[in-house]
Amino acid sequence: MLNSRKVLKIGDLKYSMSLQKFCLSFKSSFPQRDEYFKQYSNGKLKISYYCHNILDKDSISKEKSRLAAYLKEHRGEYKGILFDNPLSFQILPGEIDIPLVFDMIDWYEEMYKTELVDGTGEKNRGNLQLISSSLRELLKVIDGLVVQSPLMLDYAKSIGFDPARKNIVIPNGYDHKVFFPYEPVKINEIKNELAEKFNIDLKDKIIVVYQGKLGKWYQDLEFAVADMNNDAKIVAFIIGDGALKDRLQRLSAGNIIFTGALPLKSVPVYTNVADVCIFPVNDCSPIAISEYIGVGKPIVARKGRISWLVKDARNGCLVDDHNRWKENIFKAWENRAELSRNNRELALNLSWKSLARVYEDFLADVVHPSGEN
C-alpha cells in the first residue's frame, strides 16, 4: 500500500463522547460507520486513527498541543485528514496544508443541546456556541464533505458550505453478515424461547422492536411507549441503554420489555421476530433504520427527516402526531407483506460493504485526485 494514500481520522475514542451524555454500554453496542468502512476497505486508502479526549472549551488548548506534537512526529506521513465531530476541527494546528474531509453524520447542535445543555448552566451553553461556530467555520474550508442525506447537504449549504466543492451523500448502512432475514422456522423457535425467557405470551401478538440508544436525543420514545402501554395486542421489546432507561421502565406496563444493551450479534434475534420496528427520532439516517431494512421489516418512524429514505406506505408508516404510534403500528402490520418486500429491495444498496466502496472512492478522490502522481 502506498504511503501517499494514508489518511488520519481524528475523533473521539468512540463517536459522540464529546457531544452527548455517554453511557458505558455505548462502547460495545451499535458500532459506528468508520469501523465498517475500515473493515470493508478495498485498499485504496489506509486510514489511521487519532483519538482525543472529550472536547469542550476548557480542554481544546491542551488537546491541540497534543495533536500538534503527534503531527510533527508524523510529518509528511498523511495526505489527508478526516473527522466527524466539529469540535475536532478546533484542535487542528493552523499550519495544516493537506486536504480536510468532514463526515457530517449528525445534527450536532441539536444533539448537544438536547443531551447536555438544558438545565446544566453556562458551561455547556458555551460549548454549544463553540460547536455551532466550529461547524460553520469548517464547512467553509474543507475540501470534501460526506453527508447522510440530501437534507443534511441542504443544511450544510445554508450555513456556509460551497456546493462547488466535492461532496457526496452516503447514508448509514447495516452489517449484511449480522442483519438478514431468518427462516420462518427459526423465527418461531426464537419466539418460543423469548416467551419462556420473559414469561410472556407472544401467541397472536404484534411484536414491536426498538433498537438503539436510550439517551435524551431519543426521548420521543416515551410517546411510543405510552401509546403501546397495556395494549393486549402488542408486546414491545426495547433494546438499548442510556439515561432514559430507568424513566421509561417506570412508565411502562407489562407488555413493554427492556432487554438492556445487547451484543450486536444478539440484536437481530429480536429484529427478526419483530412484526414492526419503530424509531421515534427525527433523524435522517439512523443505523437502526438501515438494520431494520436489512432484515426486511416494516418500519414505523417519526415523520420528518427520515422521509427521504423511508417512504410512507412503501417502506413503513410515518407518524406525524406524538399520540398516533399505535395506530401506525397496526397499519404497518396490516400491510407487512408489501412493506417487507419493498425493504428487502431497498436493502440491496444499503449494506456497509457496498457503502464502504463508495466512501473510500470519494475519500481517495479528495486526497489523491485522479491523475495525480
Side-chain angles (χ1 to χ4, degrees), residues 13 15 58 186 277 368:
L13 178 63
Y15 172 73
D58 297 325
K186 184 175 181 180
C277 292
H368 198 96

Side-chain angles (χ1 to χ4, degrees), residues 86-209:
L87 289 176
S88 302
F89 177 72
Q90 288 293 328
I91 69 172
L92 291 180
E95 66 272 14
I96 291 292
D97 60 355
I98 55 178
L100 304 178
V101 181
F102 181 43
D103 191 2
M104 188 174 178
I105 59 176
D106 256 314
W107 303 92
Y108 303 98
E109 299 149 293
E110 290 182 28
M111 175 183 283
Y112 191 90
K113 182 178 180 181
T114 300
E115 291 266 346
L116 295 171
V117 172
D118 291 346
T120 57
E122 291 300 324
K123 178 181 177 180
N124 284 345
R125 279 190 278 272
N127 289 330
L128 176 59
Q129 293 172 356
L130 182 63
I131 290 171
S132 296
S133 61
S134 299
L135 182 60
R136 285 155 177 76
E137 184 180 351
L138 71 88
L139 286 172
K140 293 177 181 176
V141 301
I142 54 174
D143 300 277
L145 175 66
V146 182
V147 292
Q148 286 191 349
S149 72
L151 288 87
M152 194 167 273
L153 180 57
D154 288 342
Y155 177 66
K157 293 175 185 177
S158 74
I159 59 173
F161 178 69
D162 181 356
R165 291 181 176 161
K166 294 178 180 178
N167 63 84
I168 192 170
V169 174
I170 303 179
N172 276 318
Y174 69 95
D175 188 339
H176 69 286
K177 296 179 180 178
V178 177
F179 290 91
F180 56 86
Y182 295 173
E183 294 296 327
V185 172
K186 184 175 181 180
I187 291 175
N188 286 331
E189 290 175 355
I190 294 171
K191 282 185 180 180
N192 292 332
E193 292 170 2
L194 294 179
E196 182 176 353
K197 178 178 180 178
F198 294 104
N199 191 27
I200 192 165
D201 182 11
L202 296 179
K203 186 178 180 181
D204 299 324
K205 305 291 186 181
I206 298 174
I207 300 177
V208 177
V209 166

Side-chain angles (χ1 to χ4, degrees), residues 225-325:
V225 165
D227 208 23
M228 293 186 292
N229 261 351
N230 287 314
D231 192 291
K233 297 178 181 178
I234 291 176
V235 173
F237 291 97
I238 309 297
I239 304 167
D241 197 6
L244 286 182
K245 182 182 175 185
D246 290 343
R247 172 175 169 76
L248 286 169
Q249 284 183 302
R250 289 194 301 270
L251 295 173
S252 299
N255 66 322
I256 313 292
I257 297 170
F258 292 80
T259 69
L262 297 175
L264 186 68
K265 65 181 180 181
S266 299
V267 176
V269 168
Y270 292 84
T271 320
N272 266 279
V273 300
D275 295 301
V276 176
C277 292
I278 64 171
F279 203 84
V281 182
N282 189 20
D283 211 343
C284 59
S285 182
I287 293 175
I289 289 284
S290 293
E291 291 169 347
Y292 298 161
I293 291 170
V295 182
K297 293 298 179 176
I299 296 167
V300 175
R302 179 173 163 181
K303 187 175 183 179
R305 292 168 178 162
I306 198 63
S307 302
W308 79 279
L309 180 63
V310 176
K311 304 299 184 184
D312 194 28
R314 177 169 175 80
N315 311 101
C317 297
L318 300 181
V319 178
D320 58 5
D321 186 293
H322 287 312
N323 301 312
R324 298 179 64 189
W325 285 93

Side-chain angles (χ1 to χ4, degrees), residues 1-44:
M1 187 175 296
L2 297 175
N3 286 335
S4 61
R5 296 297 182 94
K6 291 182 73 173
V7 173
L8 182 65
K9 170 73 182 289
I10 299 173
D12 286 313
L13 178 63
K14 284 288 182 178
Y15 172 73
S16 84
M17 291 183 72
S18 297
L19 298 168
Q20 61 181 171
K21 187 172 183 180
F22 205 75
C23 178
L24 289 177
S25 66
F26 294 177
K27 294 187 177 183
S28 59
S29 298
F30 309 105
Q32 294 298 320
R33 57 202 260 135
D34 55 309
E35 298 180 38
Y36 284 107
F37 289 158
K38 182 179 181 181
Q39 178 180 342
Y40 291 113
S41 167
N42 60 14
K44 286 189 174 182

Side-chain angles (χ1 to χ4, degrees), residues 205-218:
K205 305 291 186 181
I206 298 174
I207 300 177
V208 177
V209 166
Y210 166 83
Q211 60 196 55
K213 296 176 182 177
L214 298 179
K216 289 184 178 180
W217 181 245
Y218 306 83

